[in-house]
Structure formats: structure tokens, C-alpha cells
Amino acid sequence: RTILSKVKNMLLVTTRSYNKELIERYEEEIDRNRLLIEKAIINSLMFRSQSKTKVIYLYYISQITRELERMADRIILIGNKETKYFGLVIERIDALRKIIDKVFTDDFTSKTVIEFSKLVAKLPEGQITSVDTYNKRRIRDNLDNISDVLMDWAITNEVEQ
């Protein structure tokens, strides 16, 4: 959730005021948070008796945070040239936040993930004609990969029940 908030805030700063120093600070925080999550996952795997979270859930969390970190790196490379596109990405981040809030509840189903996947699929793909359009495509791919991980997670939950 923290990384999602930081990515969204980074997008907001990029689209509204474009303070390069603040954006770089957000990127460093996202990298630091991902590292802390990875360390916590490794610690949880080493000392299983202390962790209540299933190992497969830790794997899914790791995959999602990795994709969010990659997305943040792409956002920095694009800069403030694509404010309209970033507005669309913010909508997807908000939808992702709602799904992440449901992950450990009964409301987290494959149907909710399918809705998110459809929302991601509506992001414009476009032709790759420049570095910026390539980075936009990679951001879309990152969101698509996150939706795949969420679908795997939802199906895992449904099979276990």
C-alpha cells in the first residue's frame, strides 16, 4: 500500500508541479520500500513460525512491488510530457489500491481482478515511435503484469476455499 501511495504521489507531482528533486526522492523511497519488503519476505521465509502469511502470498507481494518499482522508474524517464496519459495511469493505480485493500478479505475474487484487467486493457497501447512511447508501453505492461499476479492470487484464494 505504501508503494502504491508513493507511485500515485509521484504521478501527481509529475503532472502538476514537476519538482524533479521531489520526484527523485519519491523514487528513492519506492526503491527503499521494495528493499524492505524483500528483506521482510526473506526474514519470514527463514523464520516461518513467526509469520502468519502464507509463502505464496509473499511471492505475490514481491511480484507486485517489483512491477510498481519498475513503473516508477519509467515514470521518471518520461517526465512531465504525458500528463494526460499519467491521469489514466492514476485511475488504474486507484483501482489497484481498492483491490489491494480487499486482498485478505472475502471480497477479493477473480471477478474484481477481471474488472481491473479490463481497465488496464483500456490504456492506449499506441505504436512505439520514440523512447517515451516505449516507456508508456512498459508502464502498461507493468500494470498488465500486476493484473496477472492478482489473478493468480485470486484463483489461489478461490481454490483454497
Side-chain angles (χ1 to χ4, degrees):
R1 291 182 202 160
T2 304
I3 291 179
L4 271 173
S5 298
K6 292 196 182 298
V7 169
K8 181 180 177 183
N9 290 337
M10 176 192 278
L11 282 165
L12 290 172
V13 169
T14 302
T15 56
R16 293 187 180 153
S17 64
Y18 199 73
N19 182 340
K20 189 165 178 76
E21 183 179 314
L22 183 58
I23 292 169
E24 288 175 358
R25 215 175 300 146
Y26 272 120
E27 201 271 335
E28 288 173 12
E29 284 293 317
I30 291 167
D31 290 345
R32 188 175 305 123
N33 281 331
R34 179 173 178 269
L35 182 64
L36 290 173
I37 288 170
E38 293 296 327
K39 286 172 116 178
I41 289 170
I42 291 170
N43 188 34
S44 176
L45 292 173
M46 290 175 56
F47 305 106
R48 261 197 207 188
S49 61
Q50 296 175 355
S51 176
K52 295 178 183 174
T53 308
K54 294 181 179 181
V55 174
I56 190 69
Y57 297 169
L58 298 174
Y59 171 75
Y60 294 143
I61 291 167
S62 173
Q63 295 298 310
I64 291 169
T65 56
R66 182 180 327 135
E67 293 298 330
L68 287 170
E69 181 196 15
R70 289 176 180 167
M71 185 187 317
D73 293 339
R74 297 293 175 181
I75 291 167
I76 288 176
L77 293 174
I78 293 175
N80 63 345
K81 302 170 219 163
E82 298 289 341
T83 56
K84 185 177 178 183
Y85 185 77
F86 287 157
L88 296 173
V89 173
I90 288 171
E91 290 176 19
R92 276 63 181 179
I93 294 291
D94 288 338
L96 178 58
R97 175 66 185 250
K98 290 176 186 172
I99 291 174
I100 294 295
D101 288 341
K102 294 178 184 178
V103 163
F104 293 108
T105 68
D106 291 336
D107 294 335
F108 181 60
T109 64
S110 57
K111 289 180 183 178
T112 57
V113 178
I114 289 171
E115 291 172 19
F116 176 71
S117 296
K118 287 179 181 178
L119 191 62
V120 170
K122 289 179 183 176
L123 266 175
E125 225 170 313
Q127 293 286 357
I128 297 177
T129 57
S130 67
V131 174
D132 286 343
T133 55
Y134 171 75
N135 286 327
K136 285 169 49 178
R137 172 76 65 89
R138 292 298 303 148
I139 289 172
R140 185 182 191 280
D141 290 346
N142 293 134
L143 287 168
D144 193 38
N145 290 342
I146 289 171
S147 69
D148 289 344
V149 171
L150 288 171
M151 183 57 77
D152 291 345
W153 197 341
I155 290 171
T156 301
N157 278 350
E158 292 171 7
V159 167
E160 288 179 347
Q161 293 174 353

